[in-house]
Amino acid sequence: LGLWELFGEERLFAVDDVLPYCKPEKEAFEKIFQRVGVRAEECVLFEDSMKNIRRAKELGVRTVLITGTRGQHADAAEDTKPGDAPMADDPAVDHAMERIEEMRQKLPGLWETPAKF
């Protein structure tokens, strides 16, 4: 995906980076904000989980929902986590795209200086 080159190791986080917390706990998000030295309003979350999208929006984060291939992803999410299927029309979603690889095309302002969302 080229995310390491785009964001660098210091701005990409995995589950282990927020332990003992876990998304969608607000402490998990706050741990990242603190580590990077930013406010929630300065962040963009790319996510496929509606629970995480909604929590991030509550905290002031801008959100991009990754919907996945229509149907398959939604069914899988609903089967494993009820209420978590991608909903692009949810008020907590600022932008939606099927795949993360679309972000340069869908959000070109992120590559401007200063970045525009």
Side-chain angles (χ1 to χ4, degrees):
L1 297 177
L3 297 178
W4 291 110
E5 293 80 23
L6 182 60
F7 295 106
E9 186 175 336
E10 69 281 355
R11 301 220 185 239
L12 287 175
F13 299 93
V15 173
D16 292 348
D17 296 316
V18 296
L19 292 175
Y21 307 106
C22 185
K23 294 183 303 180
E25 293 175 279
K26 76 174 193 166
E27 293 87 356
F29 289 98
E30 289 170 344
K31 191 170 184 179
I32 299 300
F33 303 149
Q34 189 173 55
R35 193 159 149 201
V36 176
V38 296
R39 297 183 332 268
E41 299 80 21
E42 298 173 281
C43 298
V44 178
L45 174 74
F46 290 82
E47 179 65 63
D48 64 350
S49 163
M50 288 307 301
K51 292 175 183 174
N52 295 337
I53 288 274
R54 289 180 185 122
R55 175 63 66 157
K57 184 51 71 181
E58 287 173 10
L59 296 171
V61 175
R62 291 170 282 184
T63 61
V64 179
L65 176 66
I66 306 301
T67 62
T69 304
R70 306 256 188 257
Q72 292 176 346
H73 187 72
D75 292 342
E78 222 24 66
D79 288 345
T80 59
K81 300 178 220 157
D84 211 26
M87 296 173 44
D89 60 348
D90 188 286
V93 175
D94 293 318
H95 293 282
M97 59 188 71
E98 192 171 296
R99 301 171 338 175
I100 192 86
E101 293 90 349
E102 297 175 73
M103 75 176 152
R104 273 195 193 264
Q105 174 192 355
K106 301 261 183 169
L107 298 169
L110 292 179
W111 280 263
E112 296 178 17
T113 304
K116 297 176 190 149
F117 183 71

